[in-house]
Amino acid sequence: MFRAICYCLLCGHAAIAAAGELSARLEAALAEARPAQSLAVARVQALDEALIDPASLQPAWARHDLRALRQLAAYERDCAGDLSAVSAPWRDFERARCGLRALPAGWFRLYPVHPLGGSSAWHWRQRQPLPELARWLHVRERGDELGQLGALSDDNLDALLAGERWLWQEGALWRQDGTAWRRYEAAVWRPLARAAGLDVAAASSGVCAEKLGGLCLNPAAQASPWRAVLPGAALLLLAGGLALWWQRRRLQRERRFALQMLTHELRTPIAGLAGVVEGLRRDFDRLPESAQDRFGDLAGGVSRLRQLAEASRHYLSAERLDLRRQPLRLSTWLADVAERHQAVFCLSGDAVLSLPGYWLTVCLDNLLTNARRHGRPPLRLYAEWDGRRLRLDVVDGGDLADYRLRRLLLRGGGDQGMGLGLAIVRRVLARMGGRLRLSGPPTTFSLQLPAQPAREHEHAAID
């Protein structure tokens, strides 16, 4: 039995080593191929990230209230009206645009994205078509060489921003070799991959021997003799003392696949809803007043659904979380969180910090929900920033039998419903460079993470 298990482990090790060669074989196969298009990496890197992010094309519901966006839309159409709810930079922008006046130097660098969605340059050019503003357009608004990126899907644009070097776009391969992004049509790369003994598909297509960015690489059947020993190895493993472990691992994989499939399938109806919201936004002034008041809830809900689907995809990939930071005013953000959970809120001093707002809000929501369900009132939220680290305390009047976090995590396991769970909160905080602490009584969960002040020009965007 021991010899059989050793033999299986050696076979598995050899298979992993072979899989590591797949990406090198694909690189070599494409080295002599002629791409359909090439785009210098330096040109892409010169773009502001917001001019690549597909979310920039949607209205900024999280940073501007509905009244301000409604006033902006009306003023942009008529060049007249009330702008009292609009922040100062965008009041100046609209008045200068309608008055055919120039903006201060560097304005489009500081404010590349318009609150109504799309680039500020695109909105400006509807009134003043200045050719020099072309470099401040979003990639989906361009007609030049950089407009090639605009043909990529939302997922691929997000992957590009996350640093991926390989993308799959409707059968075409995009490859970044350090100097340029190169696109290869299926008619070019498929014969080369087949000759190299490779099966290449989208990363979401199934089990991969090797995952390469947005690609899934597997050895072709005729080039993979090691696969012949896998059925026998599997039988030996099932016959040994590892059968129970293997069964548990298989069930975990099936659950993970089901969640991945659900997340993937949700993105299609969400994209359809986003299109409906965009159509309603264009005809906003034709809607009845009652429908206009409810439009913000609809648009915010669609935006939230898209964030949840994207966040689930990043989490389930087990590769990276999207921890891009954004400016948050502590008093406004934490007051909103506390109000959702009917918690008492206390802040030692207000500040505008650069934080990974989405995931930090998810962690707080999870802890406050647990405190409301399993603890006792009163429910309190304390916040303190000492100039370097932010500390958030969730406190309830309950009393635990054991205040050791490790014991609580082991006892809770994975059967706490569909929430993230304390183990995942701790893991997400670790990705942020922070940590989760438990103390009491009273029961207190403390989130601590490094936090820096937001840059000056970001303050105006949230004020």
Side-chain angles (χ1 to χ4, degrees), residues 176-193:
Q176 195 257 95
D177 61 5
T179 61
W181 276 100
R182 309 186 193 280
R183 181 171 64 85
Y184 301 90
E185 296 293 349
V188 173
W189 68 260
R190 283 192 190 277
L192 297 174

Side-chain angles (χ1 to χ4, degrees), residues 207-225:
V207 178
C208 302
E210 184 176 351
K211 188 175 180 183
L212 186 62
L215 310 183
C216 179
L217 307 184
N218 286 299
Q222 65 274 19
S224 305

Side-chain angles (χ1 to χ4, degrees), residues 17-268:
E21 300 173 2
L22 301 182
S23 58
R25 284 156 58 182
L26 182 60
E27 292 268 12
L30 293 179
E32 303 300 325
R34 184 174 181 177
Q37 289 178 323
S38 294
L39 182 61
V41 169
R43 294 198 62 192
V44 179
Q45 292 174 340
L47 286 174
D48 190 293
E49 285 191 2
L51 299 179
I52 301 176
D53 190 345
S56 299
L57 298 174
Q58 300 296 325
W61 306 107
R63 297 193 302 273
H64 302 273
D65 59 34
L66 179 60
R67 183 175 171 223
L69 295 177
R70 184 185 298 175
Q71 289 182 358
L72 265 178
Y75 199 95
E76 184 175 63
R77 184 187 65 246
D78 302 327
C79 279
D82 181 20
L83 291 175
S84 59
V86 179
S87 59
W90 296 108
R91 286 200 303 269
D92 296 342
F93 174 87
E94 288 298 333
R95 288 167 180 166
R97 185 183 69 86
C98 290
L100 303 181
R101 301 193 306 271
L103 287 169
W107 200 94
F108 291 96
R109 177 175 56 81
L110 293 175
Y111 305 99
V113 177
H114 196 277
L116 294 177
S119 67
S120 301
W122 183 87
H123 286 266
W124 184 270
R125 292 180 70 181
Q126 305 311 301
R127 183 81 175 177
Q128 299 189 46
L130 302 178
E132 59 268 24
L133 295 185
R135 67 193 184 99
W136 295 107
L137 293 174
H138 193 279
V139 292
R140 288 188 175 162
E141 300 166 344
R142 290 173 172 267
D144 60 2
E145 188 181 27
L146 283 170
Q148 298 173 29
L149 297 180
L152 291 172
S153 66
D154 287 2
D155 290 345
N156 277 331
L157 287 179
D158 290 339
L160 185 150
L161 288 173
E164 294 288 4
R165 295 180 54 249
W166 292 84
L167 307 175
W168 173 283
Q169 176 71 29
E170 298 179 350
L173 299 187
W174 285 71
R175 170 198 179 205
Q176 195 257 95
D177 61 5
T179 61
W181 276 100
R182 309 186 193 280
R183 181 171 64 85
Y184 301 90
E185 296 293 349
V188 173
W189 68 260
R190 283 192 190 277
L192 297 174
R194 194 177 301 115
L198 294 174
D199 285 333
V200 183
S204 60
S205 61
V207 178
C208 302
E210 184 176 351
K211 188 175 180 183
L212 186 62
L215 310 183
C216 179
L217 307 184
N218 286 299
Q222 65 274 19
S224 305
W226 59 269
R227 286 189 178 179
V229 303
L230 285 183
L235 290 174
L236 289 172
L237 287 173
L238 290 173
L242 298 177
L244 182 61
W245 172 85
W246 177 256
Q247 179 70 6
R248 181 177 179 182
R249 185 173 179 85
R250 184 181 64 81
L251 290 173
Q252 289 176 341
R253 287 177 176 175
E254 288 176 355
R255 291 171 184 168
R256 188 179 187 85
F257 176 76
L259 287 173
Q260 287 173 329
M261 182 176 63
L262 176 61
T263 301
H264 180 270
E265 291 300 317
L266 278 175
R267 280 149 60 193
T268 298

Side-chain angles (χ1 to χ4, degrees), residues 401-444:
D402 192 336
Y403 280 94
R404 284 176 287 186
L405 183 60
R406 182 181 299 275
R407 290 283 185 90
L408 186 61
L409 291 170
L410 290 174
R411 188 169 68 248
D415 301 323
Q416 301 300 319
M418 292 299 290
L420 278 177
L422 293 179
I424 303 305
V425 170
R426 186 171 66 168
R427 180 179 177 184
V428 170
L429 280 173
R431 296 285 185 91
M432 300 178 191
R435 58 187 178 181
L436 177 66
R437 292 283 184 87
L438 171 62
S439 60
T443 302
T444 303

Side-chain angles (χ1 to χ4, degrees), residues 438-459:
L438 171 62
S439 60
T443 302
T444 303
F445 286 93
S446 297
L447 294 80
Q448 301 177 30
L449 71 158
Q452 298 296 326
R455 290 172 291 186
E456 288 297 326
H457 74 269
E458 294 177 327
H459 287 223

Side-chain angles (χ1 to χ4, degrees), residues 286-297:
R286 300 181 187 177
L287 298 175
E289 283 291 329
S290 59
Q292 290 181 357
D293 292 336
R294 294 183 177 91
F295 176 71
D297 294 336

